[in-house]
């Protein structure tokens, strides 16, 4: 990956002023990946316990789904300004503080007596995840040799995929066994564990180049980066329009039992984890072509979900293909962001922060549209509308050309 070399070159005056062993570097990258796992599990957990959470808070499915919407829009609004404000803090203190906020937000949600208090807890975590997500990949790339930049990116984003393969399904099972509150209690313990690992492994290093004045403006004027941001907006909106309401869809339209739904969520996430890591070599060699292939699979798999209803095996295949396609997308999109941002002095954090904002705005828009649809027309039309966004993303990939 071209940007890995450039980023590591920048690190020589920033991150690498503190020498750390290879083992500690690996531990730090894994800690950052687990941080993403904790945050994304917290962000998406309402997906797995949506019916019980709605019942427990005395709100509709659509309103409960807006907990994902509110969270994502908050991240979109705060990611870039908070990253700019806090990016100069040494990365040990920054990452540890963000995990502490994750713990506090989950604790508030666990103790919440009503929907409004849950809303407050979610807002707290949302403010933290935007900064963490914006800086975690950049930090990881600075802590490894340039030849390992794509691998570090895949490992950190692997935490995002693992949140779907382990976090959400495990939360679904825990919620069925106990209550949705038990899920957020478990997330409190997870946040504390990751906090401890980050304090031990991540060096107290500043990446001063990240805060270069004017980098944000340069990023926003770059046509190639704007194209990537547009593709991100389309495919992520399509994914979360469907994924946020996958549990009621599988229950009401596909006729799946609670145990089958948990298994299908596991399949979706497992397929995503596999492609998250498998796509690395392709991302390094030809990210744009790979993105086109994956976007095509993404659109086809979403369009086939309704057609698969009636056969558990067909639903299994459609969900697996959907998860596999979506799992590869963040690595490919972030690789393209890094590749282009490497041409802008101090552009890595700025471009990643904007990509995170776009990504989460799309999560919010997708879950909002899905909530409106499920309240007005039920769950059945959702996969087709999601496939429409995925197809638009594919067309945008085909239309974009590196200049």
């Amino acid at each position: 990956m071209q940007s890995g070399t450039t980023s590591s070159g920048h690190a020589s005056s920033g991150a690498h002023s503190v020498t750390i062993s290879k083992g500690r570097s690996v531990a730090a990258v894994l800690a950052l990946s687990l941080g993403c796992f904790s945050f994304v599990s917290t962000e998406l957990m309402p997906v797995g316990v949506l019916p019980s959470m709605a019942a427990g808070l005395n709100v509709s499915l659509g309103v409960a789904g807006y907990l994902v919407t509110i969270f994502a829009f908050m991240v979109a609004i705060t990611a870039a300004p908070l990253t700019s404000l806090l990016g100069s803090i040494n990365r040990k203190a920054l990452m540890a503080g963000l995990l502490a906020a994750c713990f506090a937000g989950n604790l508030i949600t666990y103790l919440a007596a009503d929907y409004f208090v849950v809303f407050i807890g979610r807002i707290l975590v949302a403010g933290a995840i935007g900064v963490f997500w914006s800086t975690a990949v950049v930090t990881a790339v600075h802590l490894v040799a340039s030849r390992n930049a794509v691998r570090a990116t895949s490992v950190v984003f692997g935490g995002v995929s693992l949140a779907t393969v382990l976090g959400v399904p495990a939360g679904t099972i825990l919620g069925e066994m106990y209550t949705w509150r038990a899920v957020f209690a478990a997330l409190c313990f997870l946040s504390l564990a990751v906090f401890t690992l980050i304090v031990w492994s991540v060096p107290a290093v500043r990446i001063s180049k990240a805060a270069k004045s004017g980098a944000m403006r340069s990023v926003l004027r770059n046509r190639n980066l704007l194209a990537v941001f547009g593709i991100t907006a389309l495919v992520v909106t399509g994914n979360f329009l469907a994924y946020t309401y996958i549990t009621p869809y599988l229950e009401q339209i596909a006729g799946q039992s609670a145990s089958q739904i948990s298994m299908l969520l596991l399949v979706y996430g497992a397929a995503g984890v596999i492609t998250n890591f498998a796509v690395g070599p392709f991302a390094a060699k030809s990210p744009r072509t790979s993105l086109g292939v994956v976007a095509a699979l993404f659109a086809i798999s979403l369009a086939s979900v309704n057609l698969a209803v009636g056969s558990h095996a067909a639903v299994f295949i459609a969900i697996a293909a959907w998860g596999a396609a979506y799992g590869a997308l963040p690595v490919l999109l972030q690789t393209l962001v890094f590749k282009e941002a490497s041409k802008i002095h101090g552009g890595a954090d700025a471009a990643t922060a904007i990509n995170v904002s776009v990504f989460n705005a799309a999560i919010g828009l997708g879950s909002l549209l899905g909530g409106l649809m499920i309240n007005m027309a039920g769950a059945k039309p959702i996969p087709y509308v999601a496939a429409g966004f995925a197809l638009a993303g594919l067309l945008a990939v085909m239309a974009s050309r590196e200049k």
Side-chain angles (χ1 to χ4, degrees):
M1 184 172 98
Q2 181 181 343
S3 59
T5 303
T6 306
S7 294
S8 291
H10 289 173
S12 62
S13 62
H16 288 273
S17 60
V18 176
T19 302
I20 60 174
S21 67
K22 181 178 179 181
R24 190 178 170 197
S25 174
V26 170
V29 172
L30 290 175
L32 295 171
S33 179
L34 287 172
C36 282
F37 175 82
S38 300
F39 272 114
V40 176
S41 292
T42 298
E43 178 172 13
L44 299 181
M45 197 53 70
V47 171
V49 293
L50 200 63
S52 61
M53 205 169 184
L57 296 172
N58 296 313
V59 296
S60 69
L61 281 172
V63 172
Y66 295 157
L67 289 172
V68 177
T69 305
I70 293 164
F71 190 108
F73 282 147
M74 182 66 181
V75 177
I77 292 169
T78 61
L82 285 181
T83 299
S84 179
L85 180 66
L86 302 175
S88 61
I89 298 174
N90 82 71
R91 293 301 162 103
K92 179 194 288 289
L94 179 61
M95 299 302 179
L98 296 172
L99 260 297
C102 187
F103 165 79
N106 282 319
L107 183 63
I108 290 170
T109 302
Y110 166 68
L111 297 172
D114 54 38
Y115 186 88
F116 178 74
V117 179
V118 171
F119 172 90
I120 297 301
R122 300 283 292 171
I123 289 298
L124 177 59
V125 181
I129 189 179
V131 182
F132 191 93
W133 204 343
S134 297
T135 55
V137 176
V138 177
T139 302
V141 168
H142 278 73
L143 295 178
V144 300
S146 60
R147 66 181 180 277
N148 294 323
V150 172
R151 184 179 300 175
T153 301
S154 294
V155 170
V156 173
F157 274 120
V160 177
S161 297
L162 283 172
T164 61
V165 69
L166 294 178
V168 175
T172 303
I173 294 169
L174 187 62
E176 289 169 1
M177 293 175 59
Y178 300 99
T179 67
W180 65 268
R181 293 182 187 277
V183 177
F184 288 92
L187 287 170
C188 287
F189 287 107
L190 175 63
S191 301
L192 281 178
V194 178
F195 170 87
T196 303
L197 182 57
I198 282 178
V199 168
W200 171 72
S201 64
V202 175
V205 56
R206 288 177 172 81
I207 303 178
S208 57
K209 299 287 187 182
K212 178 185 177 292
S213 175
M216 195 71 73
R217 288 191 299 274
S218 297
V219 166
L220 291 172
R221 287 196 296 262
N222 186 290
R223 293 180 63 184
N224 292 332
L225 281 171
L226 291 177
V228 177
F229 298 153
I231 294 164
T232 297
L234 289 167
V235 298
V236 175
T237 296
N239 185 75
F240 283 91
L241 194 156
Y243 183 70
T244 304
Y245 301 96
I246 189 173
T247 298
Y249 175 87
L250 291 173
E251 180 182 349
Q252 298 170 13
I253 307 302
Q256 303 295 298
S257 67
S259 60
Q260 287 174 325
I261 291 171
S262 296
M263 179 56 66
L264 288 168
L265 288 173
L266 189 66
V267 167
Y268 173 97
V273 169
I274 292 170
T275 54
N276 175 88
F277 291 103
V279 80
F282 302 98
K285 185 176 294 186
S286 53
R288 196 170 296 271
T289 300
S290 301
L291 181 61
V293 173
V294 170
L297 175 62
F298 185 55
I300 292 168
S301 60
L302 277 170
S304 67
V305 170
N306 265 336
L307 301 177
V309 170
S311 166
H312 180 70
V315 171
F316 182 98
I317 293 170
I319 296 295
W322 172 14
Y326 184 72
L329 284 170
V331 174
L332 291 169
L333 291 166
Q334 186 62 51
T335 297
L336 285 170
V337 168
F338 273 165
K339 181 179 181 181
E340 196 61 40
S342 69
K343 303 171 187 177
I344 301 170
H345 187 52
D349 268 4
T352 303
I354 293 171
N355 200 44
V356 167
S357 292
V358 171
F359 199 104
N360 281 275
I363 292 175
L365 179 60
S367 60
L368 174 62
L369 292 175
L372 293 173
M373 289 180 63
I374 202 169
N375 282 343
M376 293 188 299
K380 190 170 185 179
I382 286 178
Y384 290 135
V385 178
F389 277 95
L391 178 60
L394 172 60
L395 294 174
V397 174
M398 294 169 65
S400 66
R401 293 290 183 271
E402 189 171 5
K403 298 177 177 62

